[in-house]
Amino acid sequence: MSLLVSAPDGIYMYATNTSYNGNLSVLGAGNLDPSLNFICGQERLFSNIIDTKCSKYAPLVSTSLVSASSLNVFYADLPTTGVPIRGPFGTQISQDYSNLFFLDLDVTLEEAGLGNQTFWSFGDGSGGAAADTCTNGTDDGSLSTLGAAGNTLVKTQASWFATDIRGCAEFHKILCLCYVPSSGGGG
């Protein structure tokens, strides 16, 4: 008898197992977006999400090319309405992606199973790109720039994704989404 008969449908949020300094462009300068996707794909293997159906990954980090609140620009098959955002164990965080940055979260990310931690967001409170991005994800601290970070203990709209500004030498997690592509989407 299995307790995990089936995970509820949703877009599952998970935090990377590894913490990173502000140099998130692991595939080289100018490759921040593909680097973040690569990190989320690699880290999915170590995540604790109960959904085994999700097959695509999207980083919840705002970049100069695409903000976290507009991920569907890069990920055209990301369902934006009608599919709840869930924590690793299925707890609902937001009604759907379209509400993730525009309403208070249903629960804190810690209550949803993401632990008590900070994460790099490089975003403002509405999921847009912030001014502080660790030089577009290339500063490991040697350039002495700053990066916007969020906190899993906060659920207030405009605050959870942009709780603090941190030095780029600091190590923080990255939040990722794992989803089942919507039908007819690109990718």
Side-chain angles (χ1 to χ4, degrees):
M1 184 166 106
S2 173
L3 296 176
L4 300 177
V5 173
S6 134
D9 288 339
I11 298 170
Y12 279 75
M13 185 183 297
Y14 60 99
T16 57
N17 191 45
T18 305
S19 293
Y20 298 85
N21 62 28
N23 182 8
L24 301 179
S25 194
V26 297
L27 300 178
N31 290 301
L32 180 57
D33 292 286
S35 293
L36 289 166
N37 186 270
F38 174 79
I39 289 169
C40 286
Q42 293 293 310
E43 292 279 340
R44 168 60 181 98
L45 301 172
F46 306 105
S47 74
N48 55 357
I49 62 175
I50 62 171
D51 186 4
T52 58
K53 299 180 304 287
C54 68
S55 59
K56 299 274 303 248
Y57 318 103
L60 210 55
V61 178
S62 289
T63 70
S64 61
L65 294 180
V66 64
S67 64
S69 60
S70 299
L71 285 176
N72 55 317
V73 169
F74 264 15
Y75 304 93
D77 57 359
L78 175 70
T80 57
T81 59
V83 179
I85 305 290
R86 299 188 180 279
F89 308 110
T91 303
Q92 183 171 306
I93 294 170
S94 177
Q95 178 181 343
D96 55 24
Y97 176 77
S98 67
N99 287 305
L100 186 60
F101 296 100
F102 300 105
L103 298 173
D104 286 355
L105 302 178
D106 295 347
V107 296
T108 67
L109 299 181
E110 181 192 39
E111 292 169 326
L114 289 153
N116 176 355
Q117 59 194 344
T118 54
F119 55 89
W120 289 118
S121 70
F122 295 171
D124 63 20
S126 297
D132 297 303
T133 64
C134 294
T135 313
N136 203 28
T138 60
D139 184 9
D140 61 4
S142 59
L143 302 176
S144 301
T145 62
L146 301 171
N151 191 303
T152 58
L153 299 178
V154 179
K155 72 176 196 172
T156 310
Q157 188 276 336
S159 297
W160 72 271
F161 198 66
T163 313
D164 208 354
I165 303 296
R166 300 295 184 102
C168 298
E170 292 183 25
F171 284 81
H172 302 285
K173 306 283 185 172
I174 298 169
L175 296 183
C176 303
L177 301 176
C178 189
Y179 65 96
V180 174
S182 57
S183 59

